[in-house]
Amino acid sequence: MTQSKQNVVLVTGAGTGIGNLSARSLAAAGHTVYASMRDVEGRNASKAKALHDYAVVNGYKLKAVELDVLSQESTDRAVQTIVEEQGRLDVVMHNAGHLVVGVVEAFSPEEMVKVFDTNVLGTQRVNRAALPYMRAQQSGLLLWISSTTVRGGFPPFLGPYVAAKAAMDSLAQTMAYEVAKFGIETSFVVPGAFTQGTSHFPSAGHPQDEQTSAAYDRINYLLDEVGDRLSALTPPDADPQAVADEVTRIVSLPAGSRPARSVIDFVNDGAAEVTELSEKLRIEFVHRLGLEELLKPAVLQ
């Protein structure tokens, strides 16, 4: 069945940054958008109101919805609300995440678990809530916001974050094979580093073990310079809105014509070149296994 260009879309982590920009752009393109975030009636009330006002002024179908990716109950409730109100859920945009910065040794295992809980297990909670509906309707799109750190060059001091992003990406790629026969597509949008226009670096977490961090005094000065050095490599026209525009383009495409991966990288860290080769080899190997039927979603009647 051919998917409508006007989709019902759930965007996780839509309070700020790429999630917020994407929610607004998707709504402007005519989609019905649920912009999820935590505590919409508390600390994020102003963000929810800003989205509401934006929707009212422009006549868009956009609303904030309470969703904490750390809670299966919260995630289930949000997805159920969407389906009850719209009768379907066409697109899940996995965007919620959290950046941490510091030397790897200084992070306790418990701190690293929290990074994986948000960036990896959070997507699993959302999928477990959403996929039963998508499988029942035999259509849908899982749109993953990955990172060029998975396949490109990346700076030091991002260990737990890049490990979590790589885990999420691998999990998503495996799931792509498994859901394809239910008419569910998978696309990855792969942003490079953006030091302006998002709250990624300003809101980054840090390890609490200050003693171990201090033991790296011979390189710690570089930690403070990473953001500045990334900024120096970034052209003036680099804007995270480019990611939101690509998200909107992919969601608006007819089912069956969406790209597997799209890299938006102004720094040119090599991820685009590695991705092109990796996708070629991945597809070749799946053909060698005789499982090419899992590369594209089935067209179900």
Side-chain angles (χ1 to χ4, degrees):
M1 106 186 186
T2 301
Q3 196 170 32
S4 167
K5 289 188 177 181
Q6 279 68 50
N7 297 290
V8 177
V9 185
L10 167 62
V11 179
T12 68
T16 60
I18 288 171
N20 189 275
L21 293 171
S22 296
R24 291 168 180 261
S25 295
L26 286 162
H31 302 288
T32 299
V33 183
Y34 286 79
S36 79
M37 62 192 76
R38 292 181 292 179
D39 201 12
V40 295
E41 296 182 354
R43 65 184 180 88
N44 283 324
S46 62
K47 297 174 182 176
K49 184 178 185 303
L51 288 173
H52 171 78
D53 293 345
Y54 174 75
V56 170
V57 168
N58 294 284
Y60 296 151
K61 298 176 181 178
L62 169 64
K63 66 185 295 187
V65 61
E66 175 74 29
L67 192 159
D68 181 357
V69 298
L70 301 181
S71 164
Q72 189 66 60
E73 181 182 0
S74 172
T75 305
D76 290 344
R77 186 165 53 246
V79 171
Q80 183 178 1
T81 295
I82 295 169
V83 174
E84 287 177 351
E85 292 182 0
Q86 303 298 329
R88 70 185 200 275
L89 174 58
D90 300 310
V91 180
V92 171
M93 176 180 165
H94 287 296
N95 171 74
H98 182 53
L99 175 69
V100 293
V101 177
V103 294
V104 173
E105 185 188 346
F107 287 95
S108 69
E110 292 75 20
E111 287 174 322
M112 294 182 73
V113 165
K114 290 180 180 180
V115 177
F116 275 73
D117 200 4
T118 299
N119 292 283
V120 184
L121 301 183
T123 67
Q124 180 70 352
R125 294 185 185 96
V126 174
N127 282 333
R128 283 178 60 82
L131 282 174
Y133 295 105
M134 287 184 165
R135 285 189 284 104
Q137 69 194 23
Q138 301 186 97
S139 67
L141 169 66
L142 298 179
L143 180 60
W144 302 79
I145 303 302
S146 186
S147 169
T148 58
T149 61
V150 173
R151 294 180 177 177
F154 59 88
F157 308 116
L158 302 177
Y161 172 78
V162 299
K165 275 296 187 181
M168 184 211 77
D169 193 289
S170 295
L171 191 69
Q173 188 63 75
T174 299
M175 180 170 284
Y177 299 131
E178 299 168 352
V179 300
K181 293 296 285 182
F182 295 91
I184 300 169
E185 292 184 284
T186 297
S187 286
F188 295 81
V189 173
V190 187
F194 286 95
T195 56
Q196 302 293 328
T198 74
S199 60
H200 225 171
F201 280 94
S203 64
H206 301 273
Q208 294 184 0
D209 184 352
E210 296 179 359
Q211 182 176 355
T212 300
S213 294
Y216 283 79
D217 58 345
R218 66 186 61 180
I219 63 169
N220 276 337
Y221 72 96
L222 293 171
L223 191 155
D224 296 328
E225 296 180 9
V226 166
D228 292 337
R229 296 191 183 196
L230 281 173
S231 295
L233 293 175
T234 305
D237 61 343
D239 189 332
Q241 180 62 45
V243 181
D245 291 343
E246 181 64 0
V247 164
T248 302
R249 184 186 75 85
I250 291 173
V251 170
S252 300
L253 287 171
S257 65
R258 290 160 172 147
R261 288 180 182 267
S262 179
V263 179
I264 309 296
D265 176 27
F266 290 91
V267 179
N268 297 321
D269 65 9
E273 291 82 356
V274 175
T275 294
E276 182 179 359
L277 176 59
S278 176
E279 283 300 295
K280 176 177 179 292
L281 296 176
R282 178 181 70 86
I283 292 170
E284 286 180 357
F285 185 66
V286 172
H287 279 283
R288 287 171 58 198
L289 290 173
L291 297 175
E292 49 272 288
E293 64 183 293
L294 299 183
L295 288 172
K296 286 290 184 180
V299 178
L300 304 173
Q301 302 299 326

